[in-house]
Amino acid sequence: MQPSAKVFVAGHRGLVGSAITRALRAQGHTAILTRPRSELDLLDGAAVARFFAAERPEYVILAAAKVGGIHANNTYPAEFIHENLLIQTHVIDAAYRHGCEKLLFLGSSCIYPKLAPQPISEDSLLTGPLEPTNSAYALAKIAGVEMCRAYQRQYGFSCVCLMPTNLYGPGDNFDPHNSHVLPALIRKFHEAKQNGSPAVTIWGTGTPRREFLYVDDLAAAAIFLLQQHLSDPLINVGCGSDLTIRELAELIQEIVGYRGELQFDASKPDGTPRKLLDVGRITRLGWQPRVGLREGIARTYAWYLEHTA
């Protein structure tokens, strides 16, 4: 992938898209195509086709998606499946039809069965029931993987389906109602510290285990994978280790400097008991993450203080 190649980053304002755009610029790429939703609505298939016909990007990074945490996924399943199916169908098809050299599709580890053997390998896809709270979103992402596989098999269209673990970092969504667990906890602890609250309540029992990857590491993995040829496009990206939600909360509490108590609301859903990815495939290709969890949370909290608090 030459620095002069046209690279379209769909979803460049989101957590992943903004990190990939930063990484591309840092590596000297000079022809990065971006469009805000006001200029290109990816839900509009005709508009997507016109954009690809005019711009002819050589590489496409599909980081645009409707995303959210357990609450948002459980409350708005119709919107999650409808919008994600439209976005990925329009972009993948247009990329193929207008001569794109390679497409990278961003998925999520929630595509795997709720009770998949740990750590979860790529072979676990479609081997068991999904986690019910986010099955609509997961099914949309599974459809994206299968679409990429089908286009690669039938048309020879080169794709990478990158399945990241839980991501966090600068540019994250800290909204209390639809953010993911790590940024939500950062905000909760910060506001509790500011308000002098005696306790912070956390959804669930605190026992589920989760793996977290700093988003700039994910961006580095995405660019690395665009330069690999994969016979099967599906590949996991993570750090290979996890911790409980309670341990995560205690770590964030320490970094934020909140001294109150933790309370766990067991009446709220826990979600999948464990989601640790098998990252052997990408490790064998020669890629490793660089930012540890403590350092990554500290960087993310610093960004939050500067831009949000």
Side-chain angles (χ1 to χ4, degrees), residues 82-147:
H82 177 241
E83 293 190 21
N84 284 302
L85 283 173
L86 286 177
I87 289 168
Q88 63 206 34
T89 300
H90 294 156
V91 173
I92 294 168
D93 186 70
Y96 159 67
R97 295 188 183 281
H98 293 92
C100 171
E101 186 172 330
K102 195 160 196 171
L103 177 140
L104 187 142
F105 172 67
L106 262 295
S108 164
S109 59
C110 73
I111 67 168
Y112 294 117
K114 177 177 182 177
L115 301 178
Q118 304 289 320
I120 307 170
S121 75
E122 291 88 349
D123 294 336
S124 293
L125 184 65
L126 298 174
T127 59
L130 300 166
E131 160 58 40
T133 56
N134 62 4
S135 60
Y137 173 73
L139 282 166
K141 289 298 183 179
I142 291 169
V145 172
E146 291 304 307
M147 186 173 180

Side-chain angles (χ1 to χ4, degrees), residues 6-276:
K6 273 191 172 184
V7 184
F8 173 42
V9 182
H12 72 287
R13 289 180 169 175
L15 173 66
V16 173
S18 60
I20 291 174
T21 302
R22 284 196 305 272
L24 287 168
R25 286 177 178 149
Q27 293 188 19
H29 285 268
T30 57
I32 304 170
L33 301 173
T34 59
R35 293 291 187 277
R37 188 170 186 173
S38 59
E39 295 180 22
L40 176 60
D41 185 356
L42 300 178
L43 300 175
D44 183 341
V48 172
R50 287 193 298 270
F51 167 80
F52 274 85
E55 296 293 346
R56 302 272 174 173
E58 297 164 72
Y59 295 86
V60 172
I61 297 170
L62 180 45
K66 181 175 181 64
V67 298
I70 288 178
H71 175 75
N73 272 277
N74 208 25
T75 307
Y76 308 108
E79 293 171 33
F80 274 86
I81 194 166
H82 177 241
E83 293 190 21
N84 284 302
L85 283 173
L86 286 177
I87 289 168
Q88 63 206 34
T89 300
H90 294 156
V91 173
I92 294 168
D93 186 70
Y96 159 67
R97 295 188 183 281
H98 293 92
C100 171
E101 186 172 330
K102 195 160 196 171
L103 177 140
L104 187 142
F105 172 67
L106 262 295
S108 164
S109 59
C110 73
I111 67 168
Y112 294 117
K114 177 177 182 177
L115 301 178
Q118 304 289 320
I120 307 170
S121 75
E122 291 88 349
D123 294 336
S124 293
L125 184 65
L126 298 174
T127 59
L130 300 166
E131 160 58 40
T133 56
N134 62 4
S135 60
Y137 173 73
L139 282 166
K141 289 298 183 179
I142 291 169
V145 172
E146 291 304 307
M147 186 173 180
C148 286
R149 281 174 162 172
Y151 274 54
Q152 182 159 304
R153 184 170 68 249
Q154 184 173 341
Y155 302 135
F157 181 43
S158 185
C159 297
V160 176
C161 297
L162 190 161
M163 294 301 120
T165 187
N166 299 283
L167 301 172
Y168 70 100
D172 215 332
N173 171 23
F174 294 89
D175 184 275
H177 301 295
N178 62 13
S179 61
H180 289 101
V181 61
L182 194 152
L185 288 175
I186 286 177
R187 176 167 178 163
K188 272 193 172 186
F189 282 121
H190 174 77
E191 291 183 347
K193 178 183 174 182
Q194 295 297 102
N195 299 333
S197 302
V200 165
T201 301
I202 297 166
W203 271 34
T205 63
T207 59
R209 301 187 69 87
R210 292 292 182 269
E211 175 187 14
F212 296 93
L213 184 70
Y214 191 62
V215 72
D216 286 357
D217 277 335
L218 184 278
I223 296 171
F224 172 81
L225 289 170
L226 277 172
Q227 300 172 75
Q228 312 295 316
H229 177 72
L230 305 176
S231 56
D232 181 355
L234 179 59
I235 188 164
N236 292 336
V237 179
C239 63
S241 62
D242 60 5
L243 74 171
T244 66
I245 295 299
R246 175 182 287 276
E247 290 168 335
L248 174 70
E250 290 169 349
L251 179 58
I252 295 173
Q253 178 184 23
E254 178 188 339
I255 290 168
V256 170
Y258 172 69
R259 300 185 183 281
E261 294 183 7
L262 300 185
Q263 296 176 347
F264 290 86
D265 183 357
S267 70
K268 303 297 184 183
D270 270 337
T272 303
R274 192 181 190 194
K275 282 200 302 183
L276 177 64

